[in-house]
């Protein structure tokens, strides 16, 4: 079974005369360890699709099976449980400014009752070292560069050993060098751990990391067959 299997997914905002379809009959499969980029113009439905796969909003039509869970008709409790198995990386980092890098990453481990606070902080330090931030663990986000903050968000996404990583424009606010460093970390994760990554991007600089590029337009997938490298 693939980590992500979508069939006939449709989604609309609003009701009645204000109803606006944003996804139309979307089929998509993401395999283990696969890096899939979602591209397309603004308003094509990429981020909405990502949030449905991430169980951040409820399904309306079609089937979405993610990490073995069927999301159509799923309860809120099921969706919360699934979200804990997914690593999320966002364009604007979503770090808490009053916490250190180590504390931001450790927060992702709070659901693990087997770890006490000392163990969570130790694990967070190991993850930060793994993404190249050894020696920066006790800095707050304001004392880190944009690329370093995004590395913290990558470490946080990896903290709970996710079965899937979803990234929404993770390089949009970064310069070329920092952007390449972040996507290289993601590529190494996918290949070394077999973790699939679905990444929304407008950034042409990172297309070479993909196994497959899925182009969307007007809520539909218009090309899902391009294989890179």
């Amino acid at each position: 079974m693939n980590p992500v299997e979508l069939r006939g997914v449709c989604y609309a905002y609003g009701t009645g005369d204000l109803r606006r379809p944003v996804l139309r009959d979307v089929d998509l499969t993401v395999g283990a360890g696969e890096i899939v980029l979602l591209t397309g113009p603004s308003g094509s439905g990429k981020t909405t699709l990502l949030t449905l796969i991430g169980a951040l909003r409820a399904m309306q039509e079609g089937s979405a099976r993610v990490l073995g869970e069927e999301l159509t008709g799923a309860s809120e409790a099921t969706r919360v449980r699934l979200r804990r198995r997914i690593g999320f990386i966002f364009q604007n980092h979503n770090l808490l400014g009053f916490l250190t890098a180590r504390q931001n990453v450790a927060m992702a481990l709070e659901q693990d009752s087997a770890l006490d606070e000392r163990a969570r902080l130790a694990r967070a330090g190991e993850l930060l070292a793994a993404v190249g931030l050894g020696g920066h663990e006790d800095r707050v986000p304001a004392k880190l560069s944009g690329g370093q903050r995004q590395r913290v968000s990558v470490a946080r996404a990896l903290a709970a050993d996710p079965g899937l990583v979803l990234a929404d424009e993770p390089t949009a606010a970064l310069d070329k060098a920092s952007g390449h460093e972040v996507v290289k970390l993601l590529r190494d994760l996918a290949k070394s751990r077999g973790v699939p990554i679905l990444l929304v991007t407008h950034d042409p600089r990172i297309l070479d990391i993909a196994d497959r590029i899925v182009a969307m337009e007007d809520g539909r997938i218009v090309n899902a067959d391009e294989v890179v490298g």
Side-chain angles (χ1 to χ4, degrees):
M1 179 181 297
N2 292 303
V4 177
E5 295 181 348
L6 309 183
R7 295 291 179 266
V9 172
C10 299
Y11 194 87
Y13 294 114
T15 58
D17 292 341
L18 298 178
R19 187 176 185 274
R20 181 173 66 88
V22 291
L23 294 175
R24 309 166 192 265
D25 200 28
V26 172
D27 294 346
L28 178 66
T29 299
V30 180
E34 189 176 24
I35 303 176
V36 176
L37 302 192
L38 275 178
T39 66
S42 296
S44 59
K46 304 182 302 298
T47 296
T48 298
L49 185 60
L50 202 73
T51 57
L52 286 172
I53 294 169
L56 296 172
R57 64 175 81 239
M59 286 281 294
Q60 291 178 348
E61 296 180 49
S63 170
R65 184 168 289 275
V66 179
L67 300 180
E69 294 277 4
E70 175 57 60
L71 290 175
T72 301
S75 66
E76 177 63 17
T78 295
R79 292 195 290 125
V80 168
R81 186 169 63 246
L82 179 60
R83 287 198 292 269
R84 291 173 180 162
R85 300 170 59 200
I86 297 173
F88 295 93
I89 303 170
F90 301 99
Q91 174 180 343
N92 295 320
H93 322 304
N94 286 8
L95 302 178
L96 294 177
F98 58 90
L99 297 181
T100 65
R102 190 197 309 269
Q103 291 167 331
N104 267 285
V105 175
M107 281 187 64
L109 294 166
E110 289 184 353
Q111 300 298 328
D112 189 342
S113 59
L115 298 177
D116 60 18
E117 183 178 7
R118 177 175 293 183
R120 289 196 299 270
L121 290 171
R123 172 66 176 151
E126 293 169 1
L127 286 162
L128 288 167
V131 299
L133 287 179
H136 296 76
E137 299 91 342
D138 297 318
R139 293 187 181 184
V140 295
K143 298 296 184 181
L144 298 171
S145 69
Q148 289 171 332
R149 288 194 292 273
Q150 195 61 293
R151 284 170 175 261
V152 176
S153 70
V154 170
R156 181 183 58 190
L158 306 185
D161 292 323
L164 171 67
V165 170
L166 301 177
D168 191 4
E169 299 281 6
T171 65
L174 305 180
D175 60 30
K176 182 177 181 180
S178 296
H180 266 288
E181 289 173 357
V182 167
V183 296
K184 183 179 183 299
L185 284 171
L186 294 175
R187 181 183 62 199
D188 292 348
L189 160 73
K191 301 311 176 187
S192 65
R193 302 190 188 184
V195 178
I197 296 173
L198 184 59
L199 189 155
V200 168
T201 187
H202 285 101
D203 189 347
R205 303 171 301 177
I206 68 170
L207 299 183
D208 60 347
I209 74 158
D211 295 307
R212 195 154 41 98
I213 298 173
V214 175
M216 295 190 68
E217 186 175 318
D218 194 27
R220 302 179 189 275
I221 289 177
V222 294
N223 183 355
D225 297 324
E226 183 175 353
V227 178
V228 178

